[in-house]
Amino acid sequence: MPSDKSDLAQRIAICKPEDTVRGFIFKSVYGLVEQRAGSAGMARLQQQLQGNKMPVDFFSYPAADFLRLLYAATDVLEPHYPSLQDTFRACGASTVTGFFNSYVGNTFMKLVGFGDPKRVFSSVGTIYSTLVSYGKRSYEDLGESSLRLHYRGDMQPIYFHEGALTQALVVLRGNGKATGNAVALDYSQYLLEWR
């Protein structure tokens, strides 16, 4: 089942011209398509995107273009995952791998260290400001092994962020899960839990 294009249109409609996403996030999704769907999948993706050029890692590109890429990628990748939601999650997870492999992500993790999700996620606003130009993110401590994040003004789909946040917990702790709750199209909450 292809991705919901009316949902995509609603998300693009709330994008402002100044809303941007870093190039390496685009490249992470392209990399996932190439890894899972091969050159035929990449050709299909390029055809859907009308031959857009590969972005440069730390250049900024319109958030609306990233949404178009994300929804086109899920259409190409869907046969490789159990559900469309899992496909969005895989795309989100790929961007975390891209972040941790980037110079900025690697430097950030050397400063805050691995193993303590609360220490990392208490800086969620700072982290995201290096990745995207839109939205506000805040942190809420819920006890020893859980926290809640609030994403306001963020037009990305909830499953995309679930995948990214779950992957971040796996990198930081070796386990964990993020469960999202959509409050509005551009406001979601994520419960992060780990052992």
Side-chain angles (χ1 to χ4, degrees), residues 1-33:
M1 171 167 94
S3 60
D4 183 347
K5 299 309 183 279
S6 66
D7 181 65
L8 170 61
Q10 289 175 52
R11 292 178 187 283
I12 288 174
I14 61 175
C15 290
K16 298 181 194 87
E18 65 270 17
D19 293 342
T20 60
V21 175
R22 295 284 185 190
F24 77 85
I25 295 176
F26 284 75
K27 286 175 76 174
S28 298
V29 174
Y30 278 116
L32 179 64
V33 170

PDB file of all heavy atoms in Angstrom, residues 1-33:
ATOM      1  N   MET A   1       0.851  -1.180   0.000  1.00  0.00           N
ATOM      2  CA  MET A   1       0.000   0.000   0.000  1.00  0.00           C
ATOM      3  C   MET A   1       0.896   1.243   0.000  1.00  0.00           C
ATOM      4  O   MET A   1       1.752   1.384   0.864  1.00  0.00           O
ATOM      5  CB  MET A   1      -0.865  -0.046   1.256  1.00  0.00           C
ATOM      6  CG  MET A   1      -1.646   1.201   1.507  1.00  0.00           C
ATOM      7  SD  MET A   1      -2.892   0.935   2.762  1.00  0.00           S
ATOM      8  CE  MET A   1      -2.016   1.455   4.207  1.00  0.00           C
ATOM      9  N   PRO A   2       0.745   2.110  -0.979  1.00  0.00           N
ATOM     10  CA  PRO A   2       1.602   3.291  -1.045  1.00  0.00           C
ATOM     11  C   PRO A   2       1.318   4.265   0.094  1.00  0.00           C
ATOM     12  O   PRO A   2       0.261   4.230   0.719  1.00  0.00           O
ATOM     13  CB  PRO A   2       1.266   3.907  -2.405  1.00  0.00           C
ATOM     14  CG  PRO A   2      -0.005   3.291  -2.837  1.00  0.00           C
ATOM     15  CD  PRO A   2      -0.176   2.012  -2.086  1.00  0.00           C
ATOM     16  N   SER A   3       2.285   5.148   0.337  1.00  0.00           N
ATOM     17  CA  SER A   3       2.125   6.139   1.395  1.00  0.00           C
ATOM     18  C   SER A   3       0.961   7.080   1.081  1.00  0.00           C
ATOM     19  O   SER A   3       0.565   7.237  -0.075  1.00  0.00           O
ATOM     20  CB  SER A   3       3.419   6.924   1.572  1.00  0.00           C
ATOM     21  OG  SER A   3       3.762   7.580   0.381  1.00  0.00           O
ATOM     22  N   ASP A   4       0.427   7.684   2.110  1.00  0.00           N
ATOM     23  CA  ASP A   4      -0.747   8.557   2.025  1.00  0.00           C
ATOM     24  C   ASP A   4      -0.328   9.931   1.483  1.00  0.00           C
ATOM     25  O   ASP A   4       0.264  10.731   2.196  1.00  0.00           O
ATOM     26  CB  ASP A   4      -1.373   8.670   3.420  1.00  0.00           C
ATOM     27  CG  ASP A   4      -2.651   9.489   3.434  1.00  0.00           C
ATOM     28  OD1 ASP A   4      -2.934  10.184   2.437  1.00  0.00           O
ATOM     29  OD2 ASP A   4      -3.362   9.430   4.457  1.00  0.00           O
ATOM     30  N   LYS A   5      -0.645  10.185   0.226  1.00  0.00           N
ATOM     31  CA  LYS A   5      -0.233  11.435  -0.405  1.00  0.00           C
ATOM     32  C   LYS A   5      -1.013  12.635   0.127  1.00  0.00           C
ATOM     33  O   LYS A   5      -0.517  13.767   0.084  1.00  0.00           O
ATOM     34  CB  LYS A   5      -0.370  11.349  -1.925  1.00  0.00           C
ATOM     35  CG  LYS A   5       0.493  10.262  -2.560  1.00  0.00           C
ATOM     36  CD  LYS A   5       1.946  10.327  -2.118  1.00  0.00           C
ATOM     37  CE  LYS A   5       2.831   9.309  -2.784  1.00  0.00           C
ATOM     38  NZ  LYS A   5       2.802   7.974  -2.245  1.00  0.00           N
ATOM     39  N   SER A   6      -2.225  12.435   0.654  1.00  0.00           N
ATOM     40  CA  SER A   6      -2.941  13.562   1.264  1.00  0.00           C
ATOM     41  C   SER A   6      -2.260  13.956   2.574  1.00  0.00           C
ATOM     42  O   SER A   6      -2.186  15.140   2.908  1.00  0.00           O
ATOM     43  CB  SER A   6      -4.421  13.240   1.474  1.00  0.00           C
ATOM     44  OG  SER A   6      -4.589  12.211   2.427  1.00  0.00           O
ATOM     45  N   ASP A   7      -1.732  12.979   3.308  1.00  0.00           N
ATOM     46  CA  ASP A   7      -0.961  13.276   4.519  1.00  0.00           C
ATOM     47  C   ASP A   7       0.297  14.049   4.145  1.00  0.00           C
ATOM     48  O   ASP A   7       0.641  15.043   4.792  1.00  0.00           O
ATOM     49  CB  ASP A   7      -0.609  11.971   5.246  1.00  0.00           C
ATOM     50  CG  ASP A   7       0.169  12.210   6.516  1.00  0.00           C
ATOM     51  OD1 ASP A   7      -0.394  12.819   7.463  1.00  0.00           O
ATOM     52  OD2 ASP A   7       1.347  11.804   6.590  1.00  0.00           O
ATOM     53  N   LEU A   8       0.968  13.610   3.098  1.00  0.00           N
ATOM     54  CA  LEU A   8       2.162  14.312   2.618  1.00  0.00           C
ATOM     55  C   LEU A   8       1.818  15.754   2.267  1.00  0.00           C
ATOM     56  O   LEU A   8       2.521  16.690   2.669  1.00  0.00           O
ATOM     57  CB  LEU A   8       2.749  13.591   1.404  1.00  0.00           C
ATOM     58  CG  LEU A   8       3.866  14.318   0.642  1.00  0.00           C
ATOM     59  CD1 LEU A   8       5.071  14.579   1.535  1.00  0.00           C
ATOM     60  CD2 LEU A   8       4.256  13.515  -0.593  1.00  0.00           C
ATOM     61  N   ALA A   9       0.728  15.961   1.543  1.00  0.00           N
ATOM     62  CA  ALA A   9       0.327  17.309   1.124  1.00  0.00           C
ATOM     63  C   ALA A   9       0.044  18.196   2.337  1.00  0.00           C
ATOM     64  O   ALA A   9       0.427  19.377   2.354  1.00  0.00           O
ATOM     65  CB  ALA A   9      -0.894  17.238   0.219  1.00  0.00           C
ATOM     66  N   GLN A  10      -0.598  17.643   3.368  1.00  0.00           N
ATOM     67  CA  GLN A  10      -0.870  18.421   4.587  1.00  0.00           C
ATOM     68  C   GLN A  10       0.433  18.812   5.279  1.00  0.00           C
ATOM     69  O   GLN A  10       0.565  19.925   5.788  1.00  0.00           O
ATOM     70  CB  GLN A  10      -1.730  17.610   5.547  1.00  0.00           C
ATOM     71  CG  GLN A  10      -3.166  17.421   5.104  1.00  0.00           C
ATOM     72  CD  GLN A  10      -3.911  16.505   6.061  1.00  0.00           C
ATOM     73  OE1 GLN A  10      -3.908  16.721   7.260  1.00  0.00           O
ATOM     74  NE2 GLN A  10      -4.546  15.474   5.513  1.00  0.00           N
ATOM     75  N   ARG A  11       1.385  17.900   5.311  1.00  0.00           N
ATOM     76  CA  ARG A  11       2.659  18.187   5.966  1.00  0.00           C
ATOM     77  C   ARG A  11       3.462  19.222   5.175  1.00  0.00           C
ATOM     78  O   ARG A  11       4.081  20.116   5.761  1.00  0.00           O
ATOM     79  CB  ARG A  11       3.446  16.893   6.171  1.00  0.00           C
ATOM     80  CG  ARG A  11       2.782  15.980   7.181  1.00  0.00           C
ATOM     81  CD  ARG A  11       3.498  14.662   7.378  1.00  0.00           C
ATOM     82  NE  ARG A  11       2.722  13.791   8.234  1.00  0.00           N
ATOM     83  CZ  ARG A  11       2.631  13.905   9.560  1.00  0.00           C
ATOM     84  NH1 ARG A  11       3.306  14.850  10.182  1.00  0.00           N
ATOM     85  NH2 ARG A  11       1.884  13.080  10.255  1.00  0.00           N
ATOM     86  N   ILE A  12       3.449  19.117   3.868  1.00  0.00           N
ATOM     87  CA  ILE A  12       4.136  20.109   3.042  1.00  0.00           C
ATOM     88  C   ILE A  12       3.491  21.478   3.214  1.00  0.00           C
ATOM     89  O   ILE A  12       4.181  22.506   3.265  1.00  0.00           O
ATOM     90  CB  ILE A  12       4.165  19.669   1.563  1.00  0.00           C
ATOM     91  CG1 ILE A  12       5.143  18.497   1.398  1.00  0.00           C
ATOM     92  CG2 ILE A  12       4.529  20.826   0.642  1.00  0.00           C
ATOM     93  CD1 ILE A  12       5.154  17.873   0.026  1.00  0.00           C
ATOM     94  N   ALA A  13       2.169  21.498   3.355  1.00  0.00           N
ATOM     95  CA  ALA A  13       1.444  22.772   3.498  1.00  0.00           C
ATOM     96  C   ALA A  13       1.846  23.541   4.750  1.00  0.00           C
ATOM     97  O   ALA A  13       1.777  24.774   4.763  1.00  0.00           O
ATOM     98  CB  ALA A  13      -0.064  22.522   3.488  1.00  0.00           C
ATOM     99  N   ILE A  14       2.287  22.848   5.790  1.00  0.00           N
ATOM    100  CA  ILE A  14       2.678  23.564   7.011  1.00  0.00           C
ATOM    101  C   ILE A  14       4.166  23.929   7.030  1.00  0.00           C
ATOM    102  O   ILE A  14       4.627  24.596   7.953  1.00  0.00           O
ATOM    103  CB  ILE A  14       2.292  22.796   8.300  1.00  0.00           C
ATOM    104  CG1 ILE A  14       2.984  21.435   8.392  1.00  0.00           C
ATOM    105  CG2 ILE A  14       0.793  22.663   8.414  1.00  0.00           C
ATOM    106  CD1 ILE A  14       2.734  20.707   9.697  1.00  0.00           C
ATOM    107  N   CYS A  15       4.894  23.511   5.999  1.00  0.00           N
ATOM    108  CA  CYS A  15       6.304  23.899   5.893  1.00  0.00           C
ATOM    109  C   CYS A  15       6.409  25.373   5.507  1.00  0.00           C
ATOM    110  O   CYS A  15       5.696  25.840   4.626  1.00  0.00           O
ATOM    111  CB  CYS A  15       7.018  23.071   4.822  1.00  0.00           C
ATOM    112  SG  CYS A  15       7.268  21.358   5.240  1.00  0.00           S
ATOM    113  N   LYS A  16       7.328  26.060   6.159  1.00  0.00           N
ATOM    114  CA  LYS A  16       7.638  27.438   5.781  1.00  0.00           C
ATOM    115  C   LYS A  16       8.861  27.405   4.860  1.00  0.00           C
ATOM    116  O   LYS A  16       9.658  26.469   4.935  1.00  0.00           O
ATOM    117  CB  LYS A  16       7.944  28.256   7.035  1.00  0.00           C
ATOM    118  CG  LYS A  16       6.788  28.348   7.997  1.00  0.00           C
ATOM    119  CD  LYS A  16       7.185  29.199   9.204  1.00  0.00           C
ATOM    120  CE  LYS A  16       6.201  29.032  10.326  1.00  0.00           C
ATOM    121  NZ  LYS A  16       6.517  27.908  11.205  1.00  0.00           N
ATOM    122  N   PRO A  17       9.031  28.418   4.035  1.00  0.00           N
ATOM    123  CA  PRO A  17      10.186  28.429   3.122  1.00  0.00           C
ATOM    124  C   PRO A  17      11.527  28.322   3.845  1.00  0.00           C
ATOM    125  O   PRO A  17      12.476  27.777   3.302  1.00  0.00           O
ATOM    126  CB  PRO A  17      10.064  29.768   2.383  1.00  0.00           C
ATOM    127  CG  PRO A  17       8.624  30.147   2.503  1.00  0.00           C
ATOM    128  CD  PRO A  17       8.140  29.564   3.803  1.00  0.00           C
ATOM    129  N   GLU A  18      11.593  28.819   5.071  1.00  0.00           N
ATOM    130  CA  GLU A  18      12.857  28.788   5.818  1.00  0.00           C
ATOM    131  C   GLU A  18      13.093  27.481   6.576  1.00  0.00           C
ATOM    132  O   GLU A  18      14.129  27.307   7.221  1.00  0.00           O
ATOM    133  CB  GLU A  18      12.937  29.981   6.789  1.00  0.00           C
ATOM    134  CG  GLU A  18      11.911  29.977   7.885  1.00  0.00           C
ATOM    135  CD  GLU A  18      10.600  30.705   7.538  1.00  0.00           C
ATOM    136  OE1 GLU A  18      10.322  30.953   6.341  1.00  0.00           O
ATOM    137  OE2 GLU A  18       9.856  31.007   8.470  1.00  0.00           O
ATOM    138  N   ASP A  19      12.152  26.537   6.524  1.00  0.00           N
ATOM    139  CA  ASP A  19      12.306  25.242   7.198  1.00  0.00           C
ATOM    140  C   ASP A  19      13.255  24.357   6.394  1.00  0.00           C
ATOM    141  O   ASP A  19      12.974  24.045   5.232  1.00  0.00           O
ATOM    142  CB  ASP A  19      10.960  24.539   7.353  1.00  0.00           C
ATOM    143  CG  ASP A  19      10.016  25.266   8.303  1.00  0.00           C
ATOM    144  OD1 ASP A  19      10.488  26.110   9.098  1.00  0.00           O
ATOM    145  OD2 ASP A  19       8.810  24.986   8.256  1.00  0.00           O
ATOM    146  N   THR A  20      14.364  23.966   7.024  1.00  0.00           N
ATOM    147  CA  THR A  20      15.378  23.199   6.294  1.00  0.00           C
ATOM    148  C   THR A  20      15.832  21.967   7.072  1.00  0.00           C
ATOM    149  O   THR A  20      15.648  21.870   8.281  1.00  0.00           O
ATOM    150  CB  THR A  20      16.611  24.070   5.992  1.00  0.00           C
ATOM    151  OG1 THR A  20      17.174  24.538   7.222  1.00  0.00           O
ATOM    152  CG2 THR A  20      16.262  25.235   5.085  1.00  0.00           C
ATOM    153  N   VAL A  21      16.437  21.050   6.321  1.00  0.00           N
ATOM    154  CA  VAL A  21      16.977  19.789   6.832  1.00  0.00           C
ATOM    155  C   VAL A  21      18.388  19.649   6.255  1.00  0.00           C
ATOM    156  O   VAL A  21      18.619  19.976   5.084  1.00  0.00           O
ATOM    157  CB  VAL A  21      16.099  18.600   6.371  1.00  0.00           C
ATOM    158  CG1 VAL A  21      16.698  17.270   6.790  1.00  0.00           C
ATOM    159  CG2 VAL A  21      14.673  18.748   6.897  1.00  0.00           C
ATOM    160  N   ARG A  22      19.320  19.146   7.064  1.00  0.00           N
ATOM    161  CA  ARG A  22      20.703  18.960   6.605  1.00  0.00           C
ATOM    162  C   ARG A  22      20.799  17.855   5.549  1.00  0.00           C
ATOM    163  O   ARG A  22      20.077  16.854   5.601  1.00  0.00           O
ATOM    164  CB  ARG A  22      21.618  18.605   7.766  1.00  0.00           C
ATOM    165  CG  ARG A  22      21.766  19.695   8.777  1.00  0.00           C
ATOM    166  CD  ARG A  22      22.673  20.774   8.265  1.00  0.00           C
ATOM    167  NE  ARG A  22      22.880  21.739   9.336  1.00  0.00           N
ATOM    168  CZ  ARG A  22      23.462  22.890   9.169  1.00  0.00           C
ATOM    169  NH1 ARG A  22      23.912  23.239   7.974  1.00  0.00           N
ATOM    170  NH2 ARG A  22      23.615  23.714  10.175  1.00  0.00           N
ATOM    171  N   GLY A  23      21.748  18.010   4.653  1.00  0.00           N
ATOM    172  CA  GLY A  23      21.928  17.079   3.544  1.00  0.00           C
ATOM    173  C   GLY A  23      22.207  15.655   3.958  1.00  0.00           C
ATOM    174  O   GLY A  23      21.765  14.707   3.297  1.00  0.00           O
ATOM    175  N   PHE A  24      22.936  15.446   5.066  1.00  0.00           N
ATOM    176  CA  PHE A  24      23.262  14.066   5.429  1.00  0.00           C
ATOM    177  C   PHE A  24      22.030  13.276   5.847  1.00  0.00           C
ATOM    178  O   PHE A  24      22.023  12.048   5.760  1.00  0.00           O
ATOM    179  CB  PHE A  24      24.373  13.994   6.492  1.00  0.00           C
ATOM    180  CG  PHE A  24      23.955  14.291   7.886  1.00  0.00           C
ATOM    181  CD1 PHE A  24      23.416  13.299   8.697  1.00  0.00           C
ATOM    182  CD2 PHE A  24      24.110  15.557   8.405  1.00  0.00           C
ATOM    183  CE1 PHE A  24      23.041  13.575   9.986  1.00  0.00           C
ATOM    184  CE2 PHE A  24      23.740  15.839   9.695  1.00  0.00           C
ATOM    185  CZ  PHE A  24      23.194  14.849  10.497  1.00  0.00           C
ATOM    186  N   ILE A  25      20.961  13.963   6.250  1.00  0.00           N
ATOM    187  CA  ILE A  25      19.715  13.259   6.580  1.00  0.00           C
ATOM    188  C   ILE A  25      19.083  12.741   5.285  1.00  0.00           C
ATOM    189  O   ILE A  25      18.605  11.606   5.227  1.00  0.00           O
ATOM    190  CB  ILE A  25      18.780  14.170   7.391  1.00  0.00           C
ATOM    191  CG1 ILE A  25      19.440  14.465   8.743  1.00  0.00           C
ATOM    192  CG2 ILE A  25      17.414  13.536   7.577  1.00  0.00           C
ATOM    193  CD1 ILE A  25      18.695  15.429   9.622  1.00  0.00           C
ATOM    194  N   PHE A  26      19.095  13.555   4.252  1.00  0.00           N
ATOM    195  CA  PHE A  26      18.643  13.098   2.930  1.00  0.00           C
ATOM    196  C   PHE A  26      19.471  11.876   2.507  1.00  0.00           C
ATOM    197  O   PHE A  26      18.929  10.864   2.071  1.00  0.00           O
ATOM    198  CB  PHE A  26      18.837  14.193   1.877  1.00  0.00           C
ATOM    199  CG  PHE A  26      17.857  15.317   1.874  1.00  0.00           C
ATOM    200  CD1 PHE A  26      17.911  16.316   2.838  1.00  0.00           C
ATOM    201  CD2 PHE A  26      16.895  15.413   0.884  1.00  0.00           C
ATOM    202  CE1 PHE A  26      17.028  17.388   2.808  1.00  0.00           C
ATOM    203  CE2 PHE A  26      16.002  16.474   0.839  1.00  0.00           C
ATOM    204  CZ  PHE A  26      16.063  17.463   1.814  1.00  0.00           C
ATOM    205  N   LYS A  27      20.806  12.031   2.615  1.00  0.00           N
ATOM    206  CA  LYS A  27      21.701  10.969   2.147  1.00  0.00           C
ATOM    207  C   LYS A  27      21.504   9.669   2.913  1.00  0.00           C
ATOM    208  O   LYS A  27      21.670   8.581   2.358  1.00  0.00           O
ATOM    209  CB  LYS A  27      23.146  11.440   2.240  1.00  0.00           C
ATOM    210  CG  LYS A  27      23.493  12.452   1.146  1.00  0.00           C
ATOM    211  CD  LYS A  27      24.875  13.022   1.294  1.00  0.00           C
ATOM    212  CE  LYS A  27      25.926  12.057   0.854  1.00  0.00           C
ATOM    213  NZ  LYS A  27      27.275  12.682   0.865  1.00  0.00           N
ATOM    214  N   SER A  28      21.135   9.761   4.176  1.00  0.00           N
ATOM    215  CA  SER A  28      20.873   8.551   4.962  1.00  0.00           C
ATOM    216  C   SER A  28      19.703   7.772   4.388  1.00  0.00           C
ATOM    217  O   SER A  28      19.737   6.537   4.307  1.00  0.00           O
ATOM    218  CB  SER A  28      20.593   8.917   6.424  1.00  0.00           C
ATOM    219  OG  SER A  28      21.704   9.535   7.012  1.00  0.00           O
ATOM    220  N   VAL A  29      18.656   8.484   3.982  1.00  0.00           N
ATOM    221  CA  VAL A  29      17.489   7.815   3.397  1.00  0.00           C
ATOM    222  C   VAL A  29      17.849   7.244   2.026  1.00  0.00           C
ATOM    223  O   VAL A  29      17.489   6.107   1.708  1.00  0.00           O
ATOM    224  CB  VAL A  29      16.281   8.772   3.330  1.00  0.00           C
ATOM    225  CG1 VAL A  29      15.114   8.133   2.579  1.00  0.00           C
ATOM    226  CG2 VAL A  29      15.847   9.170   4.748  1.00  0.00           C
ATOM    227  N   TYR A  30      18.587   8.003   1.218  1.00  0.00           N
ATOM    228  CA  TYR A  30      19.049   7.466  -0.065  1.00  0.00           C
ATOM    229  C   TYR A  30      19.872   6.193   0.157  1.00  0.00           C
ATOM    230  O   TYR A  30      19.723   5.206  -0.564  1.00  0.00           O
ATOM    231  CB  TYR A  30      19.915   8.488  -0.819  1.00  0.00           C
ATOM    232  CG  TYR A  30      19.164   9.540  -1.589  1.00  0.00           C
ATOM    233  CD1 TYR A  30      19.276  10.884  -1.243  1.00  0.00           C
ATOM    234  CD2 TYR A  30      18.381   9.201  -2.685  1.00  0.00           C
ATOM    235  CE1 TYR A  30      18.603  11.865  -1.961  1.00  0.00           C
ATOM    236  CE2 TYR A  30      17.713  10.166  -3.413  1.00  0.00           C
ATOM    237  CZ  TYR A  30      17.827  11.506  -3.047  1.00  0.00           C
ATOM    238  OH  TYR A  30      17.165  12.473  -3.769  1.00  0.00           O
ATOM    239  N   GLY A  31      20.739   6.220   1.156  1.00  0.00           N
ATOM    240  CA  GLY A  31      21.581   5.058   1.456  1.00  0.00           C
ATOM    241  C   GLY A  31      20.765   3.837   1.836  1.00  0.00           C
ATOM    242  O   GLY A  31      21.088   2.713   1.437  1.00  0.00           O
ATOM    243  N   LEU A  32      19.701   4.051   2.601  1.00  0.00           N
ATOM    244  CA  LEU A  32      18.832   2.937   2.983  1.00  0.00           C
ATOM    245  C   LEU A  32      18.144   2.343   1.752  1.00  0.00           C
ATOM    246  O   LEU A  32      18.061   1.119   1.609  1.00  0.00           O
ATOM    247  CB  LEU A  32      17.789   3.404   4.002  1.00  0.00           C
ATOM    248  CG  LEU A  32      16.802   2.335   4.475  1.00  0.00           C
ATOM    249  CD1 LEU A  32      17.514   1.223   5.242  1.00  0.00           C
ATOM    250  CD2 LEU A  32      15.705   2.976   5.341  1.00  0.00           C
ATOM    251  N   VAL A  33      17.675   3.204   0.864  1.00  0.00           N
ATOM    252  CA  VAL A  33      17.028   2.715  -0.375  1.00  0.00           C
ATOM    253  C   VAL A  33      18.023   1.900  -1.189  1.00  0.00           C
ATOM    254  O   VAL A  33      17.711   0.801  -1.659  1.00  0.00           O
ATOM    255  CB  VAL A  33      16.453   3.890  -1.203  1.00  0.00           C
ATOM    256  CG1 VAL A  33      16.003   3.406  -2.590  1.00  0.00           C
ATOM    257  CG2 VAL A  33      15.290   4.543  -0.460  1.00  0.00           C
TER     258      VAL A  33
END
